[in-house]
Amino acid sequence: MADLPAGLGVVEPQFARVCEGGLDLECGRRLESVTVAYERYGHLNAARDNVILVCHALSGGAHAAGRHAGAHKPGWWDVMIGPGKAFDTDRYCVVCSNVLGSCYGTTGPASPDPATGRPFGRRFPVVTVGDMVNVQKSLMDHLGVSRLHAVAGGSLGGMQALQWAAAFPGAVRSVIALATTHRHSPQQIAFNEIARRAVMSDPHWRGGDYYDGERPRAGLALARMLGHITYLSDRGMERKFGRRLRGDALRFDISGEFEVESYLEHQGRSFVDRFDANSLLYLSRALDYFDLAAGGRALADVFRDTDAAFLLLTFSSDWLYPPYQLEAVAAAAQSAGRPVVYREMASEYGHDAFLLEHEAQEPVIRAFLGNPTRYNPLRHSGPEAPSRCHAPIGDRGGLASPSACS
Amino acid sequence: MADLPAGLGVVEPQFARVCEGGLDLECGRRLESVTVAYERYGHLNAARDNVILVCHALSGGAHAAGRHAGAHKPGWWDVMIGPGKAFDTDRYCVVCSNVLGSCYGTTGPASPDPATGRPFGRRFPVVTVGDMVNVQKSLMDHLGVSRLHAVAGGSLGGMQALQWAAAFPGAVRSVIALATTHRHSPQQIAFNEIARRAVMSDPHWRGGDYYDGERPRAGLALARMLGHITYLSDRGMERKFGRRLRGDALRFDISGEFEVESYLEHQGRSFVDRFDANSLLYLSRALDYFDLAAGGRALADVFRDTDAAFLLLTFSSDWLYPPYQLEAVAAAAQSAGRPVVYREMASEYGHDAFLLEHEAQEPVIRAFLGNPTRYNPLRHSGPEAPSRCHAPIGDRGGLASPSACS
């Protein structure tokens, strides 16, 4: 381990059978057996109250930090998790588990269907963020943890964090949600529908039963390319690519002439080597179904029973999960009497900012985790001045005006 | 015609052979023969100086106004063109021609290649907005018109309008460009690349030689569905669809559950019945290549030689062609000494606003056409208060502050 940079070093995936007796899903169907892949960094204290559950986004997995033996790349949030980092493993026991429906070790459409012994494919039941969180709760029971110090995540991970507070109001001391929403909008649903149709239009998809043959690579790559446009911002793309060409001069070809096109092609191609097309269908659908205020329920009522404190972070150029969405969550949780800190951070990275702006996030998250109910961003200013932020209700008795923090 | 509403009544498409001796294209190749489909509304005056050339967007055609015999639907800009309308055919002779590369009567990839007698398909040369405008210029020569009273259009049509002023600086008295840009951004290129790949990934595309068999319907529909997301705004979609379901209750299906999904599916399906997949490839590529400031040329220099006046209209929620793009054109044309009126109109319709906000556009366009070099929006206020606008340089000597017009 001498050649590894300071950090967690080599980590190992773990697996657990959870949901004993089967898992009843929101769609009305049932999974008889659920396996969860997870990783754990840092030590569980004697009181078992120092666990931070980190939740991953659509294409992530349980490998959030450290390195697997022989791997070059660390986990997806390694910059944030480790000794002395924002999620400080000298202090907290950080757990990250792969979500239900994914393809990185937890039960999903590529897993064998116990009824046939062959991969579920499209016979896998439609799963929701609520189902994912039920599986995580079962994993926490398995680990003997009854209350989380925090649950944290961005995008789909942020939905899981919010869902924890809604579904298990007494089991969460604090919620950290980044670049996410309480409810998928029609535009968000629409982009996902295009991605799904790209996969399902690929003749190699074959109704989802492609595991014994060629995979729907072109369709999955196309879906991912579209995803990447929505993860970046207009200005960020201008800065990163401009109109630069792949070659020295214009070739006047119908496709693949600009650098931005090469970038997307590369992203699409590398994604199909690591992700299952059916998982993209199921996880994107879980995003679409997510609606904490379903059935006309007032969003504030969703947070009425929890005693959690909330840290909600958005990014100015994120147009896939625009700041107004988490701002609505902030207002609702605050009107339910919860301590809430909402910050819109200035960034050109678009939706990707939640993974890239770690320097700006780190001091905010670290300070919040240290004392979730009393954290005040007006006293703990990060390197990045937020364009809008709200102080916790306990400190100011209401939403701070935007100009108070900029 | 008694059953037709007041307007132009029945109109007929016309065709002209233009570019005698062949058309040299920007890509270095050559078309030996070009046919243009066009329509004409109103009468050419004796001085031949009352022509307004209207330019269509990606999926439009020469049929801009009136009705074809037996048709239910009028032309695509019928609300704006006709007796007493914004483009007043009692006063002006309005001409609209189908662009080079399209599939509505003008030479394009579905046209027979003289060398083989079979459709060009992918053997059709890559065409640019410059090439399209050269064809339009040849059509104007054919009609005996040496100077246009105005050239007007939105989106791809707006690029043609700007290109006219750049390529034929003495041939245009005024330019009306809506919801467009002087240069496709990497984000705009990226969306087009996804659309093209959707088409080309369809096994029925067959390298572009599908004309004697099944067409790449699924790929073209997918491309169009994506297009429609970019034509609407987040807020507009929220208002139009929300999270409403197609059926009475959640079915928990992987696709096609929400109204927004049905809408997109319908748009995709109806598009493939009326548009040629190869034309989508070529026209989207022409958009991508459009760059009036190519090769490091200052944008102001592009407008140095023209004596045209400019009316540039953008829409607040248009994120496909964001207002900052035409605002840059306004600043450049103004610094080149041209009379410029720039307005950002408040609208929730996104990019579609240029086709839908006709009531707000009409008084502005009508007044501008009446006296292009002296039109002042501060004196002619439309029903829709602009959130930002600039007065013509001749009236105010500089850009008006945004607050002066709101």
Side-chain angles (χ1 to χ4, degrees), chain A residues 126 183-184 186 193-194 196 225 234 238 243 250 252-255 257 261 285 288-289 291 324, chain B residues 126 183-184 186 193-194 196 225 234 238 243 250 252-255 257 261 285 288-289 291 324:
Chain A
V126 165
R183 168 171 74 188
H184 241 216
E193 178 71 357
I194 304 291
R196 285 186 292 266
M225 291 169 73
D234 179 29
E238 187 67 51
R243 290 178 53 84
L250 280 177
F252 289 102
D253 201 349
I254 210 77
S255 181
E257 166 106 298
E261 295 170 322
R285 205 45 164 169
D288 293 347
Y289 278 124
D291 181 4
Y324 75 80
Chain B
V126 165
R183 166 170 75 185
H184 241 217
E193 179 70 357
I194 304 290
R196 285 187 292 267
M225 290 169 73
D234 179 29
E238 187 67 51
R243 290 178 52 85
L250 280 177
F252 289 100
D253 201 351
I254 209 78
S255 179
E257 166 106 297
E261 296 171 321
R285 205 46 164 168
D288 293 348
Y289 278 123
D291 180 5
Y324 76 80

Side-chain angles (χ1 to χ4, degrees), chain A residues 64-357:
Chain A
R67 282 161 209 264
H68 286 169
H72 288 294
K73 286 178 69 176
W76 59 270
W77 225 8
D78 188 73
V79 287
M80 294 287 282
I81 301 167
K85 298 185 181 176
F87 298 101
D88 186 352
T89 52
D90 288 337
R91 191 166 174 189
Y92 304 109
C93 173
V94 176
V95 176
C96 181
S97 67
N98 187 216
V99 295
L100 186 68
S102 182
C103 52
Y104 290 127
T106 293
T107 303
S111 304
D113 179 350
T116 65
R118 296 174 48 232
F120 278 104
R122 273 288 281 116
R123 289 168 298 281
F124 194 71
V126 165
V127 295
T128 64
V129 172
D131 298 326
M132 294 172 188
V133 166
N134 287 341
V135 170
Q136 290 164 350
K137 180 68 168 68
S138 184
L139 175 65
M140 290 304 128
D141 294 344
H142 172 87
L143 298 175
V145 175
S146 59
R147 184 167 158 93
L148 298 168
H149 180 70
V151 55
S155 203
L156 172 58
M159 294 180 203
Q160 295 162 51
L162 296 175
Q163 174 71 20
W164 263 92
F168 303 107
V172 198
R173 188 174 176 212
S174 60
V175 170
I176 302 175
L178 297 79
T180 191
T181 181
H182 69 284
R183 168 171 74 188
H184 241 216
S185 72
Q187 189 186 68
Q188 290 161 336
I189 293 170
F191 278 120
N192 278 352
E193 178 71 357
I194 304 291
R196 285 186 292 266
R197 280 177 180 259
V199 169
M200 296 190 292
S201 299
D202 188 319
H204 295 300
W205 182 64
R206 297 190 316 194
D209 286 327
Y210 50 76
Y211 294 101
D212 58 351
E214 205 169 327
R215 299 192 172 215
R217 294 179 63 89
L220 182 59
L222 193 62
R224 186 61 171 181
M225 291 169 73
L226 174 58
H228 272 276
I229 304 178
T230 65
Y231 304 154
L232 304 175
S233 75
D234 179 29
R235 188 187 282 219
M237 290 181 90
E238 187 67 51
R239 215 176 276 262
K240 192 177 174 103
F241 308 109
R243 290 178 53 84
R244 280 195 305 280
L245 302 174
R246 208 166 174 164
D248 293 335
L250 280 177
R251 290 180 294 113
F252 289 102
D253 201 349
I254 210 77
S255 181
E257 166 106 298
F258 294 94
E259 266 191 17
V260 64
E261 295 170 322
S262 306
Y263 168 84
L264 292 176
E265 190 186 359
H266 170 77
Q267 294 294 338
R269 208 171 33 221
S270 60
F271 188 64
V272 299
D273 291 330
R274 72 170 181 91
F275 208 76
D276 178 48
N278 282 333
S279 281
L280 184 91
L281 303 183
Y282 280 88
L283 298 190
S284 71
R285 205 45 164 169
L287 290 168
D288 293 347
Y289 278 124
F290 190 61
D291 181 4
L292 281 180
R297 190 177 180 197
L299 191 54
D301 291 340
V302 173
F303 303 116
R304 200 76 70 187
D305 295 333
T306 185
D307 61 349
F310 290 76
L311 173 61
L312 307 171
L313 302 181
T314 62
F315 302 90
S316 57
S317 62
D318 182 358
W319 60 276
L320 182 61
Y321 289 92
Y324 75 80
Q325 294 186 319
L326 267 191
E327 206 174 353
V329 173
Q334 200 157 38
S335 89
R338 306 315 318 140
V340 179
V341 173
Y342 168 81
R343 280 181 74 160
E344 179 184 319
M345 295 186 160
S347 174
E348 283 191 1
Y349 285 124
H351 185 57
D352 272 348
F354 85 89
L355 292 168
L356 297 173
E357 295 285 7

Side-chain angles (χ1 to χ4, degrees), chain B residues 72-92:
Chain B
H72 288 294
K73 286 177 69 176
W76 59 269
W77 227 8
D78 188 74
V79 287
M80 293 287 283
I81 302 167
K85 298 185 181 176
F87 299 100
D88 187 353
T89 51
D90 288 337
R91 193 165 171 189
Y92 304 109

Side-chain angles (χ1 to χ4, degrees), chain B residues 1-288:
Chain B
M1 282 171 42
D3 56 335
L4 288 170
L8 288 164
V10 171
V11 298
E12 282 194 353
Q14 294 180 265
F15 299 88
R17 291 286 289 272
V18 298
C19 306
E20 275 186 47
L23 172 67
D24 290 314
L25 300 164
E26 223 176 310
C27 68
R29 291 178 59 193
R30 183 180 165 81
L31 282 169
E32 295 304 330
S33 149
V34 177
T35 297
V36 183
Y38 69 100
E39 294 191 7
R40 186 152 75 158
Y41 323 111
H43 298 284
L44 189 59
N45 64 10
R48 295 174 176 272
D49 65 0
N50 70 331
V51 171
I52 297 175
L53 177 65
V54 163
C55 304
H56 66 76
L58 187 134
S59 64
H63 183 39
R67 281 162 209 264
H68 287 169
H72 288 294
K73 286 177 69 176
W76 59 269
W77 227 8
D78 188 74
V79 287
M80 293 287 283
I81 302 167
K85 298 185 181 176
F87 299 100
D88 187 353
T89 51
D90 288 337
R91 193 165 171 189
Y92 304 109
C93 173
V94 176
V95 176
C96 181
S97 68
N98 187 217
V99 295
L100 186 69
S102 181
C103 53
Y104 290 127
T106 293
T107 302
S111 304
D113 178 351
T116 64
R118 297 174 46 232
F120 279 104
R122 272 289 281 117
R123 288 167 299 280
F124 194 72
V126 165
V127 295
T128 64
V129 172
D131 297 327
M132 293 172 187
V133 165
N134 286 341
V135 170
Q136 289 164 351
K137 180 68 169 68
S138 185
L139 175 65
M140 290 304 128
D141 294 343
H142 172 87
L143 298 175
V145 175
S146 59
R147 185 167 157 93
L148 297 168
H149 179 70
V151 54
S155 201
L156 172 58
M159 294 180 202
Q160 295 162 52
L162 296 175
Q163 174 70 20
W164 263 91
F168 303 107
V172 197
R173 191 177 174 210
S174 59
V175 170
I176 302 176
L178 296 79
T180 191
T181 181
H182 69 284
R183 166 170 75 185
H184 241 217
S185 72
Q187 189 185 69
Q188 290 161 336
I189 293 171
F191 277 120
N192 278 352
E193 179 70 357
I194 304 290
R196 285 187 292 267
R197 280 177 180 258
V199 168
M200 295 189 294
S201 299
D202 188 320
H204 296 300
W205 182 63
R206 298 190 316 195
D209 284 328
Y210 50 75
Y211 293 103
D212 59 351
E214 203 169 327
R215 301 193 170 214
R217 294 178 63 87
L220 183 58
L222 193 61
R224 185 61 170 181
M225 290 169 73
L226 174 58
H228 272 277
I229 303 178
T230 66
Y231 304 155
L232 304 175
S233 75
D234 179 29
R235 188 187 282 220
M237 290 181 91
E238 187 67 51
R239 214 176 278 263
K240 192 177 173 102
F241 307 111
R243 290 178 52 85
R244 279 194 306 280
L245 302 173
R246 208 164 174 164
D248 292 335
L250 280 177
R251 289 180 294 114
F252 289 100
D253 201 351
I254 209 78
S255 179
E257 166 106 297
F258 294 95
E259 266 191 17
V260 64
E261 296 171 321
S262 306
Y263 168 84
L264 293 176
E265 190 186 0
H266 170 77
Q267 295 294 338
R269 209 171 33 222
S270 60
F271 188 64
V272 298
D273 291 331
R274 73 172 181 89
F275 208 76
D276 177 48
N278 282 332
S279 280
L280 184 90
L281 302 184
Y282 280 88
L283 298 190
S284 70
R285 205 46 164 168
L287 290 167
D288 293 348

Side-chain angles (χ1 to χ4, degrees), chain B residues 281-321:
Chain B
L281 302 184
Y282 280 88
L283 298 190
S284 70
R285 205 46 164 168
L287 290 167
D288 293 348
Y289 278 123
F290 190 61
D291 180 5
L292 280 180
R297 190 178 180 196
L299 192 54
D301 290 341
V302 174
F303 303 117
R304 201 76 70 186
D305 295 334
T306 185
D307 61 349
F310 290 77
L311 174 62
L312 306 172
L313 302 180
T314 62
F315 301 90
S316 56
S317 62
D318 183 357
W319 60 276
L320 181 61
Y321 290 92

